[in-house]
Amino acid sequence: MFNTETYVGRRAELKKLVKSGIIVLFGNNSSPANFPNNGYYPFRQDSTFLYYFGQNHDGLVGVIDIDNDKETLIGDDISIDDIVWYGSVDSVHDMAQQVGVANSAPMKALKTICNEALRQKRKIHFLPPYRADIKIQIFDLLGIHPNQQKESASMELIKAVVKMRNIKTDEEIEELERAAVLGYKMHTTAMKMCRPGVTEKEIAGTLAGIANSYGAMVSFPTILSQHGEIQHGTPSEAPLVAGKLMLCDCGAETINNYCSDNTRTTPVSGHFDQRQLEIYSIVEACHDYAASVAKPGVKWWDVHFGVCRLMTEKLKELGLMKGDTDEAVAAGAHAMFMVHGLGHMMGMDVHDMESLDQINVGFDEEVRPNLEQFGTNCLRLGRRLEKGFVVTDEPGIYFIPALIDDWKASGHCKEFINFDKLETYKDFGGIRIEDDLLITDDGCRFIGKDIIPYHPKDVEEFIANN
């Protein structure tokens, strides 16, 4: 945890932003893997609960009564049976004291608090739940059916949480730097292991072990595949094959639950062939362009489409695209090659606050998402950047056989895509380069003291020396 004053200050600011009513922040309960006493490990607390109440223990709820300036940590103390099997933990009272909360109460008190607030017709603020057990608990407490809870969640609370969590403080940046150290170890290990005959699962398992060995965990299930065209390709038992590319998208999460998220694409043979180098160099140029223009006041929407135009220009040079660049990008032709957005907010969640809906996190009243156009509908961030934002810079180029066939059959964007040449790339796979950017006073910098090699010569040299 951070120091007590951090959590006291965060809750004080939250009360100012929300202004009135009762805030109820649900922590997570332990989740069974396949039966009640065989739980998933390690336990993962809800990030917003952690942000304001700091306690990484299951079965807790934080209540902030704004009007009466009263804060309460709700939860049941463990029994002697729990101690026998799992060991002793602090009492709920002690946990409350550790984060500057004056009051504590057993879980049954939450029903009394909610009933009294409902009787007085006071506003009860809660966030959109994402776990079934919490949805049932909200139904029991407030009588709101799970199907209606997302719409019933407090927009005042959502906006307040987003406003606060989007801006990373110095102590949060220190945690993100620690996550980057682990991410560096994971990615450089994957590059060292990238040899013909080694299986995808062996490498991915080793990466998870690195995170676990430092008391952390992976920040999301590792994406590692020779089929880089599959956006969330899970590691298989397939051995790596000479001449292929291995795409590895992984990250670590620190003990205090701050994340790293990087992607590297490594040639299994140890060097890029000419065709791979041509495509890789385009992705490299797009990655570096984004980092060169990202700064406070710049709309990430504009950075994204600047990357799309640059990518289109360079694909035209290879004969894969054609026609007017601006018209091609407006038509979404570039999405044949980059089906996702340029990046997303990052922090305690690798897709930060995704449970609050990306339209609330990555967009605002000025910049609204385009949910209709293929590719652009996957852009998770468009708003103007601010100092303290942490965003991912992750352009990619993918050759997806099914998508090629689909667009070719329908004639979609045929005036901008050379389908005959594209046919010869169906066996290519995909390339992505991703790093985490901290927006600074007048620009941005990479999170992480040591940059994972990504320039082609650096990648080949690293492999040769390891």
Side-chain angles (χ1 to χ4, degrees):
M1 293 191 299
F2 297 126
N3 59 45
T4 301
E5 290 73 23
T6 293
Y7 300 105
V8 171
R10 287 173 176 176
R11 293 192 301 270
E13 179 64 19
L14 185 65
K15 284 184 276 191
K16 290 179 184 177
L17 292 172
V18 179
K19 297 180 180 177
S20 66
I22 295 179
I23 299 170
V24 181
L25 294 176
F26 293 87
N28 283 338
N29 299 309
S30 58
S31 182
N34 56 348
F35 55 86
N37 291 325
N38 187 20
Y40 282 112
Y41 180 82
F43 167 72
R44 181 54 161 91
Q45 183 62 283
D46 175 78
S47 294
T48 299
F49 180 87
L50 276 173
Y51 187 84
Y52 292 104
F53 286 91
Q55 293 292 354
N56 196 14
H57 184 70
D58 64 306
L60 298 174
V61 179
V63 177
I64 303 173
D65 186 333
I66 301 172
D67 307 311
N68 295 304
D69 195 22
K70 180 179 181 181
E71 301 173 348
T72 307
L73 185 65
I74 305 285
D76 293 328
D77 289 326
I78 62 174
S79 67
I80 190 63
D81 286 339
D82 294 323
I83 294 173
V84 167
W85 288 101
Y86 303 112
S88 184
V89 299
D90 293 329
S91 68
V92 176
H93 170 78
D94 289 341
M95 286 190 279
Q97 296 296 304
Q98 290 162 9
V99 292
V101 175
N103 305 284
S104 62
M107 188 58 69
K108 65 182 180 182
L110 185 57
K111 182 67 173 175
T112 302
I113 291 171
C114 290
N115 282 347
E116 182 63 15
L118 291 171
R119 186 185 67 79
Q120 296 176 357
K121 295 182 169 34
R122 297 178 66 199
K123 173 75 172 182
I124 299 177
H125 303 273
F126 64 90
L127 297 174
Y130 54 90
R131 287 192 171 190
D133 55 337
I134 302 300
K135 292 181 180 181
I136 293 171
Q137 189 174 10
I138 292 173
F139 185 41
D140 289 340
L141 290 168
L142 306 178
I144 303 171
H145 192 277
N147 290 343
Q148 300 171 326
Q149 288 173 9
K150 181 177 180 180
E151 292 72 21
S152 301
S154 167
M155 189 53 65
E156 299 99 316
L157 180 57
I158 289 171
K159 288 183 176 180
V161 170
V162 168
K163 181 179 179 65
M164 292 182 66
R165 284 185 57 189
N166 265 348
I167 305 294
K168 305 303 185 288
T169 62
D170 289 345
E171 60 190 350
E172 290 182 286
I173 293 166
E174 289 178 10
E175 280 297 317
L176 290 165
E177 294 284 357
R178 293 187 183 99
V181 171
L182 299 182
Y184 179 87
K185 293 179 184 292
M186 293 167 71
H187 273 281
T188 52
T189 297
M191 294 171 72
K192 292 174 184 178
M193 294 180 70
C194 183
R195 299 287 188 273
V198 181
T199 67
E200 297 171 3
K201 273 190 176 293
E202 180 180 350
I203 299 174
T206 302
L207 305 188
I210 291 172
N212 291 339
S213 70
Y214 284 87
M217 59 187 286
V218 293
S219 50
F220 57 96
T222 294
I223 299 165
L224 192 147
S225 177
Q226 295 170 96
H227 285 282
E229 76 277 8
I230 301 174
Q231 299 305 292
H232 287 172
T234 55
S236 73
E237 296 179 1
L240 301 185
V241 177
K244 291 283 192 178
L245 296 169
M246 181 190 77
L247 188 150
C248 177
D249 186 343
C250 71
E253 183 175 310
T254 68
I255 293 173
N256 284 325
N257 302 101
Y258 284 81
C259 299
S260 69
D261 181 10
N262 301 90
T263 306
R264 292 295 185 266
T265 307
T266 307
V268 178
S269 299
H271 59 85
F272 297 99
D273 64 32
Q274 184 59 35
R275 188 174 69 155
Q276 291 169 346
L277 183 60
E278 289 171 348
I279 300 300
Y280 190 99
S281 297
I282 297 174
V283 179
E284 174 196 20
C286 291
H287 169 276
D288 290 353
Y289 165 80
S292 73
V293 300
K295 63 181 180 179
V298 170
K299 289 190 288 187
W300 192 252
W301 180 278
D302 294 337
V303 181
H304 168 82
F305 281 105
V307 162
C308 295
R309 285 189 291 274
L310 176 60
M311 183 179 294
T312 298
E313 282 290 330
K314 291 185 174 294
L315 288 169
K316 282 166 60 178
E317 292 173 7
L318 292 182
L320 287 165
M321 294 189 72
K322 58 187 178 181
D324 181 81
T325 296
D326 289 337
E327 291 179 6
V329 171
H334 61 279
M336 165 59 73
F337 304 94
M338 189 168 85
V339 298
H340 57 72
L342 179 62
H344 52 79
M345 301 292 283
M346 201 193 73
M348 296 181 80
D349 305 311
V350 73
H351 289 169
D352 216 16
M353 296 173 278
E354 189 169 39
S355 62
L356 305 185
D357 202 331
Q358 291 298 322
I359 196 171
N360 298 317
V361 178
F363 295 87
D364 55 18
E365 288 75 13
E366 179 191 14
V367 185
R368 308 304 291 165
N370 180 345
L371 302 178
E372 304 300 322
Q373 187 181 64
F374 178 79
T376 307
N377 60 355
C378 293
L379 179 59
R380 291 186 170 95
L381 173 64
R383 66 191 301 170
R384 291 188 187 275
L385 301 173
E386 298 179 38
K387 180 185 176 182
F389 280 15
V390 174
V391 305
T392 61
D393 168 13
E394 51 177 309
I397 292 178
Y398 316 92
F399 297 90
I400 306 169
L403 185 63
I404 294 170
D405 291 342
D406 182 70
W407 283 28
K408 184 177 181 180
S410 67
H412 182 58
C413 288
K414 63 182 180 181
E415 62 271 41
F416 304 117
I417 297 173
N418 186 342
F419 284 104
D420 288 340
K421 185 160 187 177
L422 193 53
E423 283 285 335
T424 67
Y425 281 76
K426 281 186 172 180
D427 63 341
F428 187 96
I431 292 172
R432 180 164 65 253
I433 304 172
E434 177 183 14
D435 284 298
D436 307 325
L437 302 179
L438 170 66
I439 307 304
T440 58
D441 286 314
D442 55 3
C444 69
R445 68 168 178 85
F446 292 133
I447 296 281
K449 177 176 65 70
D450 297 317
I451 303 301
I452 306 159
Y454 74 91
H455 296 301
K457 288 183 179 179
D458 294 340
V459 170
E460 294 178 343
E461 183 179 340
F462 182 88
I463 296 171
N465 293 335
N466 288 279

